[in-house]
Amino acid sequence: MLFLCLLFALVYMFASEIFGQMRWFKWIDERKEQFKNVIVTPFTRNKKQLDILKRVGMIIFILSLSMLLLLVVKNVVYKVVPFGKTNAAAELLKYEKERIANPKVPIVTYTLTYQYTDKDGTLYKTKKNVSSATYNRYKGKRFIPIMYRKNLPYDTFIENRSMGEFISPLFSVPTFIFACVGYLVFFLIKKYVEVWGIPFIRTD
């Protein structure tokens, strides 16, 4: 649900910049304002209550998006930090390449399924989305070098052994989406500070 709200917000924000002056978009914008008026009408009698509702709603939305970004940052940190992980050779079981969306805007996803054993001999099986460079490098091969966290063996990372494997994820669809999320968080925080100031800090 949060993802759908985020997607709608991003689409509307970019659409307003491109189609803001077009008649059909103005009609949509008018319907949006009418719907918003229906929602906020019960609070209009008390402006202070309405202002509090707006502030709380904005803070909750910003925190929700920030939590999403923190999860991504956490995974990147776990992969980059050199300690707390164990190297292993995983056996590749399946290679998947899937094309989604329409032919005019092709989006291709790459997935590798592999299994490995930890130092205690426990077998784990993982299905992981990878970049095109990683997929092409290991397609048809039997083993792939991985790292797993010592305290969470099921949490794995594929070792990058070429420049392409480092660069390819930067131009992927997920990276673009998270970059948009980061921009949206920055935009909302800036807007909040402009309207209400820094939270929990009173200004005269």
Side-chain angles (χ1 to χ4, degrees), residues 168-180:
S168 183
L170 299 178
F171 301 96
S172 64
V173 174
T175 301
F176 172 76
I177 292 175
F178 287 119
C180 290

Side-chain angles (χ1 to χ4, degrees), residues 8-203:
F8 178 80
L10 288 173
V11 171
Y12 184 83
M13 181 176 65
F14 288 116
S16 63
E17 294 293 333
I18 300 174
F19 307 109
Q21 300 303 318
M22 300 186 71
R23 181 180 300 176
W24 62 270
F25 190 85
K26 289 182 178 180
W27 182 87
I28 294 176
D29 198 52
E30 289 175 359
R31 301 290 84 76
K32 178 191 69 92
E33 290 297 326
Q34 291 176 0
F35 178 76
K36 185 177 72 172
N37 290 335
V38 172
I39 299 298
V40 302
T41 295
F43 302 95
T44 54
R45 297 176 183 176
N46 189 332
K47 292 185 178 180
K48 184 176 181 181
Q49 187 177 5
L50 177 61
D51 185 68
I52 293 174
L53 180 65
K54 289 181 178 179
R55 295 178 65 176
V56 172
M58 181 75 81
I59 291 175
I60 291 175
F61 191 54
I62 291 173
L63 290 177
S64 299
L65 296 180
S66 299
M67 289 295 293
L68 183 63
L69 292 177
L70 286 176
L71 290 175
V72 177
V73 172
K74 182 195 72 172
N75 288 333
V76 172
V77 170
Y78 280 143
K79 184 172 183 177
V80 173
V81 170
F83 51 83
K85 299 189 295 288
T86 300
N87 294 323
E91 181 182 7
L92 285 165
L93 303 175
K94 193 175 182 180
Y95 317 85
E96 296 177 81
K97 180 180 178 180
E98 182 179 4
R99 184 182 296 270
I100 58 178
N102 59 70
K104 295 182 180 180
V105 188
I107 299 176
V108 182
T109 60
Y110 304 90
T111 306
L112 295 177
T113 302
Y114 53 84
Q115 64 181 14
Y116 60 98
T117 55
D118 63 10
K119 61 181 180 180
D120 297 323
T122 304
L123 182 66
Y124 296 89
K125 184 178 179 180
T126 300
K127 185 176 182 179
K128 203 171 192 68
N129 292 328
V130 297
S131 66
S132 58
T134 299
Y135 179 87
N136 292 328
R137 180 180 177 87
Y138 294 103
K139 182 182 179 182
K141 295 186 178 181
R142 186 178 177 186
F143 294 98
I144 184 171
I146 67 166
M147 299 174 290
Y148 63 85
R149 294 170 59 190
K150 292 180 180 179
N151 56 338
L152 294 172
Y154 53 82
D155 192 6
T156 65
F157 309 94
I158 297 175
E159 289 191 51
N160 293 331
R161 295 192 170 184
S162 68
M163 186 60 67
E165 290 180 271
F166 283 101
I167 296 176
S168 183
L170 299 178
F171 301 96
S172 64
V173 174
T175 301
F176 172 76
I177 292 175
F178 287 119
C180 290
V181 174
Y183 171 79
L184 182 59
V185 170
F186 170 78
F187 175 81
L188 292 176
I189 292 176
K190 181 180 178 182
K191 201 69 177 178
Y192 185 97
V193 173
E194 289 177 355
V195 176
W196 293 293
I198 302 175
F200 312 115
I201 296 181
R202 299 185 62 178
T203 57

